[in-house]
Amino acid sequence: MNNRKILTQQYSFEFSKSVIKKATELDSKKIVKLITEAELLGRGGAYFPTGLKWDSVLQQKAEQKYIVCNAEEGEPATYKDRFLLNFSPYKILDGMIIASIATGSSKGFIYINHKYKTEKEKLKRLIHIYRKNNLLGKNLLNTQYSFEIEIIESNGRYITGEETSLINTLEGTRPIPRLKPPYPTQQGLFNLPTVINNVETLCCVPHILYHGAEWFKSFGVKGSYGTKLICLTIDDKPKGVYEIEFGKVSIKDILSIYGKLKNIKKIFYVLPSATSEIIFPDKFSVKYDIQSFKKNNLTIGTGGFIVYTKKQNIIKKLCELMKFFVEESCGYCVPCRIGTQRIYETLLTIIQQNNNLKEVKKRIIELEELCVTLNLTSRCLLGKSCVTPLMSLINRFKHAKN
C-alpha cells in the first residue's frame, strides 16, 4: 500500500516563512496559474476548481476583497477539519496568506465551529506568532502585501457549510442560502469579491506552491489529483482520520485496511457522505475518487465515511439522519421546512409498522413522492440532496426480488 502523504505531512515554521516569501516574490497571476495547473479541486464537498475561483476574484476590480476559511464542519460523522486544526493549523494560515497574495485580498476570516474551543485558542496563539514574525499584518515580510485574519465562531448550523449562507451569517443576518448568480467571487461578503475555501483545500496550497503542480498531480488519478482525508466511523463509533490517494484504493480496501474489517460479509452498507446514495456490498469494488463515484451516482462530500454492520437497522439510521436535516433546515422554503419533517414522521411510522408489509409499501410510495418533491422544488442543495440516501434505498427496495 502506497503511503505517500500531503495533508498529514508536517513541516517547520521555517518552511512556512520560506513558502510565504516565495509567494510574495511571485506575480499574483503566476500563483493562480500554478493552482489552476495543479487542478486542485475544493475539498468542501462541491469539488469546484480552486484556481478558477481564485482567478475570478483576481479579475474583479474592488478596493477590498476577502478570503474566508470555512471551518464549520457540521456534517454528521465528519471531523477531518478538526484534525487539521489540531495537527497543522499553520498550513491553514499559510494557505490563506497565499490566497490573499494571489487574489489581492487584504482581509481574511476563519469561520470555525462553535464547539472547537481548543482549536480556536490554538489558532489565536498562532496568529499572534505570525504577526510577531511579520507574516501577518501590514507589509508582511516588508513587501507591498498586507493581510489580517480574524476568527469568527460559528452559530452551529450545518447550513452555513453552504458558502452564501456562511456569508449571510458573517454579515449578521439569517443563514439563508442566496440565489446565484451573482457568485461570491463577484459579490460575496458585504457585496465584495470573496474567496471561500475549505480547511482541507487551503492545507494543500503551501505544498503546491513549494513543490509545483506536477508534484501534486503525481498523487491520485486524472480528474482527482491529490489526496483526501476520510473520517471513518463504524456503527456510530469514530475510528479516526486517514489520508488516502484518490483512485488508489477501493471501498473494500478502506474497510479492510483502515477499518480492520476482515469479514466484509458482516458489513451491511456504507454511507460516504450524508447526501450520497448508499453503497451496498455489490459496489464495494468502486475506487475512491471523484470520477468513479460520479459514474456510480455516489458523492464523496466532505469526507465522512460511515460504515454499518448487519446488526444495525437501516431505516432507524436513515430516520436519525433525516431528523438531523429537519433540525438543520434553514426553514426558508416550504418544501424543505415541511418536507423533511413529513419524511421523518413517515420513517417513524414505518419503524412502528415494521411487521405490516402492506402498510410499509404504502408508506414507501409516500416517501418516494416526498423525496421527489424536495429534490425538485427545494431552494438549495440541503433540501435537494438530503433525500439522496433514502431514495437510493427506496430504489433498491423497488427492484428487490423479495
Side-chain angles (χ1 to χ4, degrees):
M1 175 58 62
N2 193 329
N3 287 315
R4 295 197 306 153
K5 307 297 181 186
I6 298 174
L7 295 159
T8 53
Q9 175 189 330
Q10 289 189 316
Y11 57 69
S12 67
F13 184 62
E14 291 305 313
F15 182 92
S16 289
K17 287 196 281 189
S18 67
V19 80
I20 293 169
K21 187 175 187 297
K22 184 176 181 179
T24 64
E25 293 169 349
L26 289 173
D27 179 76
S28 293
K29 289 181 180 179
K30 286 184 179 178
I31 299 176
V32 171
K33 186 172 183 285
L34 181 63
I35 298 300
T36 303
E37 289 175 347
E39 296 184 44
L40 171 64
L41 302 178
R43 301 310 201 238
Y47 294 90
F48 188 82
T50 305
L52 190 60
K53 185 180 285 189
W54 287 18
D55 185 58
S56 179
V57 171
L58 177 62
Q59 300 306 321
Q60 303 301 315
K61 305 298 181 185
E63 290 184 9
Q64 178 72 65
K65 299 176 185 179
Y66 296 104
I67 306 293
V68 177
C69 170
N70 188 349
E72 161 53 26
E73 194 167 46
E75 187 170 312
T78 307
Y79 40 90
K80 49 95 180 177
D81 287 351
R82 188 172 205 172
F83 166 80
L84 289 170
L85 285 161
N86 276 294
F87 183 76
S88 50
Y90 47 86
K91 289 187 184 183
I92 301 165
L93 300 191
D94 295 348
M96 290 181 74
I97 294 166
I98 294 165
S100 77
I101 295 167
T103 59
S105 305
S106 58
K107 179 70 177 178
F109 296 93
I110 299 175
Y111 184 75
I112 191 168
N113 191 300
H114 70 292
K115 295 178 182 177
Y116 296 177
K117 305 295 184 186
T118 302
E119 292 78 11
K120 181 183 174 183
E121 292 305 312
K122 188 174 286 189
L123 278 172
K124 278 184 178 179
R125 291 194 295 271
L126 193 60
I127 288 171
H128 177 70
I129 292 170
Y130 270 54
R131 285 197 187 113
K132 281 183 68 177
N133 285 271
N134 201 19
L135 298 175
L136 278 175
K138 194 171 183 180
N139 303 121
L140 57 91
L141 292 178
N142 301 314
T143 64
Q144 78 268 31
Y145 300 105
S146 298
F147 187 59
E148 275 293 356
I149 294 177
E150 183 179 343
I151 302 170
I152 304 290
E153 197 170 290
S154 82
N155 60 9
R157 297 297 304 276
Y158 167 76
I159 191 65
T160 55
E162 196 281 331
E163 57 185 10
T164 61
S165 177
L166 189 160
I167 288 169
N168 281 341
T169 303
L170 288 176
E171 292 179 354
T173 60
R174 187 176 168 186
I176 299 169
R178 299 177 183 179
L179 295 176
K180 304 174 191 176
Y183 297 97
T185 56
Q186 301 163 319
Q187 294 179 38
L189 186 60
F190 306 119
N191 288 322
L192 293 168
T194 305
V195 167
I196 301 178
N197 283 142
N198 172 264
V199 167
E200 189 175 352
T201 310
L202 290 165
C203 285
C204 293
V205 170
H207 293 282
I208 295 171
L209 190 77
Y210 186 81
H211 295 288
E214 290 307 312
W215 173 86
F216 182 76
K217 291 169 78 172
S218 71
F219 293 82
V221 294
K222 186 176 181 180
S224 299
Y225 293 116
T227 62
K228 183 77 187 77
L229 294 182
I230 61 168
C231 311
L232 185 60
T233 301
I234 302 174
D235 286 341
D236 297 323
K237 295 177 182 176
K239 294 297 179 180
V241 176
Y242 302 94
E243 183 175 11
I244 62 172
E245 269 194 77
F246 274 129
K248 301 298 170 120
V249 293
S250 65
I251 303 300
K252 185 178 179 181
D253 293 331
I254 293 171
L255 295 171
S256 59
I257 297 168
Y258 303 107
K260 309 296 182 186
L261 297 167
K262 301 301 180 185
N263 191 352
I264 303 296
K265 290 180 180 179
K266 289 184 178 180
I267 300 168
F268 191 3
Y269 68 97
V270 172
L271 193 60
S273 77
T275 55
S276 171
E277 286 196 7
I278 295 167
I279 306 177
F280 290 99
D282 54 351
K283 285 190 177 181
F284 282 180
S285 61
V286 173
K287 292 288 187 181
Y288 192 90
D289 65 75
I290 299 158
Q291 282 69 34
S292 298
F293 266 46
K294 192 176 287 185
K295 286 177 187 174
N296 288 276
N297 298 315
L298 304 169
T299 55
I300 287 174
T302 57
F305 198 88
I306 307 168
V307 181
Y308 284 116
T309 60
K310 290 184 177 178
K311 61 185 178 183
Q312 302 295 329
N313 184 315
I314 192 168
I315 302 297
K316 285 183 179 178
K317 291 303 169 187
L318 289 179
C319 188
E320 290 170 8
L321 183 59
M322 189 52 63
K323 185 182 180 184
F324 168 82
F325 287 119
V326 170
E327 293 169 350
E328 293 301 327
S329 170
C330 77
Y332 185 83
C333 73
V334 173
C336 186
R337 184 176 72 244
I338 305 300
T340 51
Q341 180 66 33
R342 287 290 296 116
I343 290 173
Y344 172 63
E345 290 168 355
T346 306
L347 286 168
L348 282 176
T349 304
I350 289 174
I351 292 168
Q352 292 163 2
Q353 297 176 335
N354 189 38
N355 296 322
N356 190 334
L357 189 58
K358 188 177 179 181
E359 281 300 316
V360 168
K361 285 182 177 179
K362 281 184 185 178
R363 300 298 179 186
I364 288 173
I365 293 170
E366 288 177 23
L367 280 176
E368 187 172 18
E369 290 174 351
L370 285 165
C371 288
V372 170
T373 301
L374 254 75
N375 182 262
L376 292 176
T377 62
S378 293
R379 190 168 186 264
C380 82
L381 276 174
L382 188 151
K384 292 178 184 296
S385 61
C386 73
V387 298
T388 305
L390 182 56
M391 275 301 297
S392 67
L393 180 64
I394 291 170
N395 289 333
R396 194 172 181 89
F397 175 83
K398 283 165 64 178
H399 294 103
K401 291 181 180 179
N402 298 311

